[in-house]
Amino acid sequence: MQNWVIENGTALIDGELATRNVCITDGVFSDTASANASSFDAEGCYVLPGIIDIHGDAFERIMEPRPGVFFDKEIALHEADRQMISNGITTAYHGLGVSWEPGVRDMNNSRAIVEAWSNLKDSLYCDTHLNLRWETFALDERTQALDWLERFPGSVLSVNDHASAFRGLAADHPRIIRMAKRIGISPEDAAGLLESLFARSEEVPGAVEETCRQAVKLGAKVFAHDETSVEQRDYHRELGMSVSEFPMTAETARAAVSNGEHVVMGAPNVVRGGSQNNALCAATAIRENMCTVIASDYYYPAQLIAAFKLVDTGVVGLANAWKLVSSSPAEAVGLGDRGIIQDGLRGDLVLVDAQTRQVRAVFTAGKMALRLSA
C-alpha cells in the first residue's frame, strides 16, 4: 500500500484549522510520515476528514433515471460510487427500501440491489453500507430486513411510515395521483393497495416493537424517520431508536438533542434554503443546535455544498460545519474508526480548493481514489 504525506494544506485537526502535514501510513493516519511516503502538495486546499453520508438514496435515480427505465444494478452502483467519491463522500449508507411499494423500491428490486452490492462492495472506493428503510406497513418484509441486519453487521435500520399520510384519501386525490405515477400504477390500484395495507393496521405497533427489539439485539443502530412529536420521540427511545432522522417539528428535534441523541436532516434542505415539504428548516435547526448531522438525502453533492453554505451565511464556522458531515455521522452509526484526522484512525480525506470549493483529491483508507489538477 502506498503511504502519503499531505503537505502545505490547511488541515482540520482537533477542531482547529491550521497549516500542517497530514500523514497516512498503511491506510491509517499517523503522527509521522513513513520513510517511503509519497508527497502530495495540498497548497491552497482544506484538508478535511472524508464525508460520511448516513442517508442517501440518489442511487435510485441512477438506477431509474426515467420512470420505468432501469439500468443494470452493477452499472448503477459503480456510477453511484464515482459520484460519491467525486463529491468527497468516503463512507456511505445506501437508503434501501424495505417497502410495500412497487417500482424502484419493489422488494424483488431491493433484493437484487443487495446481491449486486454484496458482490461489489469490496471493490468500491467509497466504503458503502446499507440504511434499511423499513416501512412499518411492509409487515411481511420485516424478517427480510432483520436477515440483512444479521448478514451485514454495521447496517442501519430506519423505521419509516410513509403509508399513513395517505389514509382516508380517495383515488382522485392529487397526492394519490402523484404517488401512483411515481410507483408506476394507476391511482385506483394505488388506493386499493393502501386499503389492503390499512386493513392490517392493528398489527403494526407490535411489529415495530418486535423488529426494534431484534435489531438492537443484533447490534444495529435504529433510526426513527419523520417523527412528529416529543411524545413519539420518547416512545421511540424506549424501543431503542437512538437517532431522530428528519424530525418534523422543532420541539421533536430539540428533545432529541437535549437527550444527547443525534438528529439527521437533509443537506439539500440547507442548499435550497428550506424543506421541500414544508418541514423544519435545516439551517435554522443547525443555528439553534437542533441538528447534528446532515445527509445527502437525494443529491450527492449536497453535503459538501451545504457545509460551505453554512460557513458563508454565518450559521457556523467551518470546523463545526464539517462535524455535521464527518465526526457526528460517524458517531450516529457507531463508526469509531473514522470521522476525524487522528493517529490510528482510517485514512479518509477530502482535499477541497479553498477558493473554488471544488474537490481536488480524495483518499479512502489511504488509497488515492481521486486526483484532479488545480
Side-chain angles (χ1 to χ4, degrees):
M1 174 177 288
Q2 191 170 9
N3 297 321
W4 295 94
V5 55
I6 317 299
E7 302 175 316
N8 304 318
T10 302
L12 177 59
I13 300 176
D14 294 332
E16 297 183 356
L17 289 158
T19 301
R20 65 184 82 180
N21 291 347
V22 174
C23 304
I24 304 176
T25 305
D26 296 331
V28 300
F29 294 120
S30 54
D31 289 334
T32 57
S34 66
N36 64 345
S38 300
S39 297
F40 186 102
D41 186 0
E43 184 174 4
C45 289
Y46 293 117
V47 181
L48 304 165
I51 293 173
I52 298 173
D53 182 16
I54 61 176
H55 176 113
D57 57 33
F59 72 97
E60 291 182 342
R61 261 70 67 192
I62 298 171
M63 231 176 325
E64 188 189 20
R66 289 184 177 179
V69 178
F70 288 88
F71 278 79
D72 178 84
K73 307 293 185 294
E74 292 193 1
I75 291 173
L77 289 168
H78 275 301
E79 176 57 23
D81 187 55
R82 286 188 288 267
Q83 290 191 24
M84 290 187 292
I85 288 294
S86 67
N87 286 289
I89 300 171
T90 55
T91 301
Y93 287 73
H94 281 327
L96 182 80
V98 182
S99 178
W100 46 265
E101 291 186 16
V104 73
R105 295 178 182 173
D106 176 83
M107 282 305 300
N108 287 328
N109 196 46
S110 292
R111 292 184 183 97
I113 293 168
V114 169
E115 291 311 308
W117 164 79
S118 66
N119 291 331
L120 290 178
K121 61 187 179 69
D122 292 337
S123 66
L124 300 175
Y125 282 102
C126 182
D127 185 28
T128 309
H129 305 262
L130 299 177
N131 178 328
L132 300 173
R133 302 183 64 189
W134 174 55
E135 291 287 342
T136 59
F137 278 87
L139 292 165
D140 297 330
E141 307 299 347
R142 69 185 192 89
T143 54
Q144 177 65 87
L146 291 167
D147 287 345
W148 282 334
L149 290 177
E150 185 171 15
R151 181 178 169 191
F152 304 111
S155 299
V156 164
L157 179 69
S158 178
V159 179
N160 293 242
D161 175 13
H162 289 105
S164 292
F166 298 100
R167 192 184 291 273
L169 302 183
D172 60 353
H173 192 282
R175 294 189 64 188
I176 296 286
I177 294 171
R178 285 196 300 272
M179 186 263 279
K181 183 178 180 180
R182 177 175 59 80
I183 63 178
I185 62 177
S186 71
E188 292 73 20
D189 285 345
L193 172 60
L194 290 164
E195 184 178 353
S196 69
L197 298 177
F198 296 143
R200 301 180 66 184
S201 294
E202 291 184 359
E203 299 177 51
V204 171
V208 171
E209 293 181 9
E210 178 61 16
T211 302
C212 288
R213 186 189 68 78
Q214 292 191 44
V216 171
K217 186 177 180 179
L218 288 169
K221 293 290 184 179
V222 184
F223 293 5
H225 190 80
D226 286 354
E227 291 178 309
T228 58
S229 68
V230 174
E231 291 75 20
Q232 192 175 48
R233 171 90 292 267
D234 291 342
Y235 172 61
H236 287 162
R237 183 182 301 118
E238 292 178 3
L239 299 184
M241 301 187 210
S242 60
V243 174
S244 182
E245 187 181 48
F246 301 86
M248 300 299 288
T249 70
E251 293 76 17
T252 306
R254 191 175 291 112
V257 172
S258 66
N259 201 63
E261 297 160 334
H262 282 289
V263 171
V264 182
M265 299 187 70
N269 184 318
V270 176
V271 175
R272 298 178 67 250
S275 168
Q276 65 169 352
N277 59 358
N278 299 315
L280 202 56
C281 172
T284 299
I286 292 164
R287 189 190 301 274
E288 298 181 7
N289 298 315
M290 295 186 293
C291 171
T292 63
V293 175
I294 52 176
S296 76
D297 198 1
Y298 54 86
Y299 191 60
Y300 288 136
Q303 286 174 287
L304 178 69
I305 299 169
F308 283 104
K309 182 170 183 179
L310 291 168
V311 175
D312 293 342
T313 54
V315 176
V316 289
L318 181 55
N320 285 328
W322 209 256
K323 283 179 64 177
L324 296 163
V325 299
S326 58
S327 60
S328 288
E331 290 175 3
V333 294
L335 290 175
D337 65 341
R338 68 196 75 184
I340 59 175
I341 300 172
Q342 181 178 297
D343 182 49
L345 296 190
R346 181 181 160 101
D348 293 342
L349 282 178
V350 55
L351 278 59
V352 180
D353 189 296
Q355 296 299 315
T356 66
R357 276 69 181 282
Q358 298 299 304
V359 173
R360 286 266 304 279
V362 176
F363 295 82
T364 60
K367 183 177 182 179
M368 182 182 286
L370 179 73
R371 181 172 188 171
L372 300 176
S373 58

